[in-house]
Amino acid sequence: MKYKLGLIGFPIKRSLSPWIHQQFLKRADLEGDYSIQEIDPDDSFEEEIDRLKNSQFDGFNVTVPYKKRIIDFLDQLDEDARTIGAVNTVVHRNGKWTGYNTDWTGYITSLKHHYPSFFQKKVSNILLIGAGGAARGIYYGLVKEGFARIDIANRTQASAEVIAGLGEKNTNTSIMTLEDAESSLGGYDLIIQTTNIGMKPNVSDMIISLDKLCEHSLVSDIVYQPIETEFLHQASQRGASIHYGHTMLLYQAQYAFELWTSKKVPADNMEQQLQHKLEGR
Ligand code: ATR
């Protein structure tokens, strides 16, 4: 069988997902193709999805800005994707189109891979910065892992409150301003930056100051262009441990590939290759 896979989103011409999935196909000894299917916001989304569905795709990834919009065009939704309210992977199986979310599990797996000991003490204090789609998935994953305290800091408090509603009785969440987060930074074991602040070309921007950061903390940034954001750079200079965003990209892809092909391809040894690819652009 020859897999027909792809990616929808905008703009995606420079996406590294085709490279990642070609590597997976090769490593899994499978034949297939993963193509960029850019959908311009001016085009009819419905017509484009119809075209894709009529072109014998086995599945596709969905990225910004269509992770929510795609939901109405699917036959079924996996439970995690339904709770998170976003789909990044679509599988075509037995004539049905099913939506999944592998972003959250990709993030948790990448963090576990680099900092397994962090998952041994669920009493850690976690601060999530941002309350967009990415933050929602990451919060969901951390709650599933059973962490007791996950606070959320965001410019718009109302969005943070909506995310906090996903929590369960065992997780405590306080909502705070970005200013409050700055001043209470020393109390957190893990700080996760989930906004797009610091992304190329605005590489010197930081969502909050790290002046109060403790060196025992772990700092994570989901931005991966550049690989080392100013946020991570300054965290590292202050002696904190850091976790890079491109590793999430790799593991969400690993789970998507497994959903399409039932093959789990080891991805650990691809992190450095992906880093070089990203640095080369
Ligand atoms: P994604 O789906 O990639 O997470 P998103 O849903 O657009 O993207 O969310 C973007 C996040 O970045 C939000 O938390 C947003 O804050 P608001 O909820 O207040 O909009 C945050 N963000 C974007 N630009 C920002 C800025 N200039 N200052 C502070 N926060 C910003």
Side-chain angles (χ1 to χ4, degrees), residues 64 129-135 154-156 159 178 194-197 207 222:
V64 180
I129 305 175
N154 194 44
R155 180 177 62 178
T156 311
S159 324
L178 294 171
T194 72
T195 76
N196 50 12
I197 305 289
I207 184 81
I222 67 160

Side-chain angles (χ1 to χ4, degrees), residues 43-76:
D43 292 343
S44 157
F45 187 70
E46 192 172 351
E47 276 174 27
E48 289 298 312
I49 296 302
D50 271 351
R51 180 184 62 77
L52 220 63
K53 284 185 174 172
N54 293 325
S55 320
Q56 281 84 44
F57 272 84
D58 298 297
F60 54 91
N61 281 131
V62 186
T63 189
V64 180
Y66 302 125
K67 289 186 185 185
K68 275 190 168 54
R69 196 159 169 201
I70 190 68
I71 292 175
D72 286 343
F73 298 85
L74 302 173
D75 301 311
Q76 328 181 117

Side-chain angles (χ1 to χ4, degrees), residues 13-248:
K13 294 237 162 72
R14 287 167 59 82
S15 166
L16 279 179
S17 290
W19 178 80
I20 295 175
H21 286 287
Q22 299 297 353
Q23 291 287 323
F24 287 163
L25 284 163
K26 221 183 330 176
R27 285 161 188 244
D29 205 16
L30 293 172
E31 269 194 77
D33 178 54
Y34 184 105
S35 58
I36 294 272
Q37 301 286 327
E38 191 167 80
I39 302 180
D40 195 296
D42 291 336
D43 292 343
S44 157
F45 187 70
E46 192 172 351
E47 276 174 27
E48 289 298 312
I49 296 302
D50 271 351
R51 180 184 62 77
L52 220 63
K53 284 185 174 172
N54 293 325
S55 320
Q56 281 84 44
F57 272 84
D58 298 297
F60 54 91
N61 281 131
V62 186
T63 189
V64 180
Y66 302 125
K67 289 186 185 185
K68 275 190 168 54
R69 196 159 169 201
I70 190 68
I71 292 175
D72 286 343
F73 298 85
L74 302 173
D75 301 311
Q76 328 181 117
L77 215 49
D78 163 76
E79 203 184 312
D80 296 325
R82 184 188 309 280
T83 311
I84 295 167
V87 162
N88 78 318
T89 303
V90 174
V91 180
H92 185 208
R93 205 183 286 127
N94 305 327
K96 288 216 181 321
W97 299 86
T98 308
Y100 295 86
N101 187 305
T102 71
D103 285 330
W104 70 275
T105 186
Y107 180 80
I108 298 291
T109 303
S110 73
L111 192 62
K112 250 185 204 167
H113 180 65
H114 288 276
Y115 296 98
S117 60
F118 187 79
F119 288 79
Q120 277 152 22
K121 38 181 191 334
K122 300 292 160 86
V123 290
S124 303
N125 288 334
I126 301 176
L127 173 65
L128 204 56
I129 305 175
R136 197 175 161 90
I138 291 172
Y139 182 85
Y140 176 77
L142 293 169
V143 166
K144 263 200 153 186
E145 286 291 326
F147 286 103
R149 171 154 293 278
I150 313 165
D151 293 341
I152 309 171
N154 194 44
R155 180 177 62 178
T156 311
Q157 307 281 288
S159 324
E161 272 156 24
V162 173
I163 294 186
L166 283 176
E168 289 164 11
K169 283 197 276 323
N170 304 344
T171 305
N172 291 303
T173 297
S174 298
I175 308 298
M176 63 180 79
T177 62
L178 294 171
E179 293 72 27
D180 288 342
E182 262 180 11
S183 51
S184 55
L185 216 52
Y188 291 98
D189 305 291
L190 168 62
I191 296 146
I192 310 168
Q193 198 302 108
T194 72
T195 76
N196 50 12
I197 305 289
M199 192 187 292
K200 276 182 186 172
N202 305 311
V203 295
S204 51
D205 290 358
M206 297 220 323
I207 184 81
I208 57 167
S209 146
L210 291 177
D211 284 350
K212 300 264 168 62
L213 183 69
C214 252
E215 61 180 26
H216 81 264
S217 300
L218 167 57
V219 177
S220 172
D221 194 335
I222 67 160
V223 171
Y224 56 82
Q225 296 262 43
I227 292 273
E228 185 159 302
T229 57
E230 184 63 19
F231 196 70
L232 289 185
H233 178 68
Q234 289 198 18
S236 161
Q237 280 193 324
R238 288 175 189 278
S241 304
I242 59 175
H243 174 246
Y244 293 105
H246 70 284
T247 60
M248 175 185 181

